[in-house]
Amino acid sequence: MRTAALAVILPALAVAAAPDTSDVVSWTPVGISSPQFESHPAFDPLSSDFYFVRSSPKFEGWRILVSTCTPHGWSQPQSPSFAGDGVEADPWFTRDGQSLYFISTRSTDGIKRKDLDLWRVDRATDGQWGTPSRLPEPINSKGNEWFPRLARDGWLYFGSDRAGGVGKTDIWRARTDERGRWKVENLGPSINSVGNEYEPLLSPDESKMIVAGDDGLYESRRTAAGWSPRVRMPASINANGTEIGALFSPSGKSLLFARDMKNALSGEFMVWHIEGQEDWPANCTKK
């Protein structure tokens, strides 16, 4: 399970000089940051509301919460209207803001599920969230599914520990064919290892993909032949191998993610400014 990744601490590496971490800073807004574990950020493209996951300091009991930027700062986080009765996490908005994907163990047909499945909720004509729907098999399986992210070409990328993979948990993708039938395929050994890969995140221009695994974040580039072999991201990003739930800014120039701070607040948001100091995430300051 993904929780196990947070127990991994990388061995010390012999380097000539300490990595430059000046472009990686904490993001701890009042009202959002707490002694609990905050992770998996998502900004509503239509309202700018902030959705995220809060769990215990041990990364247990995941719940999706939402906060609104008000004249008095971020509002008290609340459960969204579509919240279910199971653990729920990994919120992600489509570009038009009309749909949100997430994972859940909520009840279906009156039966509480034990495995995590992929779900989607759409906005109704009045702008409110409708009733969530569980994605069909073979996208969902008897195993756990994680971190659904939809690409422009219709491929839905996600993690799964289903049978037939390269390792324990792999990155997969699914898309319908001309007959409307779902096709699911494994991204193969260039992305997946014998261990765990949970979270695939495409950049806004979809030229690269960040993958979260047992010991932090990796990057792959899109090539004419497919996704290039993954490469571990810099030590300034992978400080202790617990980095999860990444989100690109709309420009692709910044990356927001969570890191287990161990002896400080557990699950603190961090921002990596990849290309200079971008004003993102925007401040929600009291007026």
Side-chain angles (χ1 to χ4, degrees), residues 153-171:
D153 59 7
W155 281 111
L156 180 67
Y157 289 76
F158 59 97
S160 178
D161 62 3
R162 67 186 62 202
V166 175
K168 298 176 182 178
T169 301
D170 282 358
I171 304 302

Side-chain angles (χ1 to χ4, degrees), residues 244-268:
I244 56 170
L247 173 71
F248 275 108
S249 65
S251 70
K253 296 180 179 180
S254 299
L255 189 74
L256 181 64
F257 59 94
R259 176 185 291 160
D260 186 353
M261 300 304 288
K262 300 303 177 184
N263 295 324
L265 289 176
S266 182
E268 184 173 320

Side-chain angles (χ1 to χ4, degrees), residues 217-238:
L217 302 178
Y218 288 76
E219 183 179 279
S220 172
R221 297 279 178 167
R222 189 189 292 275
T223 71
W227 292 105
S228 67
R230 64 177 198 166
V231 176
R232 197 163 189 274
M233 296 182 71
S236 58
I237 307 305
N238 287 311

Side-chain angles (χ1 to χ4, degrees), residues 151-234:
R152 291 191 186 98
D153 59 7
W155 281 111
L156 180 67
Y157 289 76
F158 59 97
S160 178
D161 62 3
R162 67 186 62 202
V166 175
K168 298 176 182 178
T169 301
D170 282 358
I171 304 302
W172 300 72
R173 65 180 185 176
R175 186 171 66 176
T176 55
D177 61 18
E178 63 278 1
R179 297 184 180 181
R181 298 174 301 188
W182 283 100
K183 170 187 178 181
V184 178
E185 62 182 37
N186 187 284
L187 265 62
S190 65
I191 299 298
N192 297 310
S193 70
V194 296
N196 294 292
E197 285 73 40
Y198 301 99
E199 302 179 346
L201 177 69
L202 298 176
S203 61
D205 64 3
E206 301 189 359
S207 65
K208 59 186 176 182
M209 177 171 60
I210 290 177
V211 176
D214 280 333
D215 59 350
L217 302 178
Y218 288 76
E219 183 179 279
S220 172
R221 297 279 178 167
R222 189 189 292 275
T223 71
W227 292 105
S228 67
R230 64 177 198 166
V231 176
R232 197 163 189 274
M233 296 182 71

Side-chain angles (χ1 to χ4, degrees), residues 15 32 56 66 71 105 116 119 137 146 156 164 168 170 212 265 283:
V15 293
I32 302 297
S56 74
V66 58
T105 61
L116 284 156
W119 289 72
E137 283 76 9
W146 312 94
L156 180 67
K168 298 176 182 178
D170 282 358
L265 289 176
N283 289 326

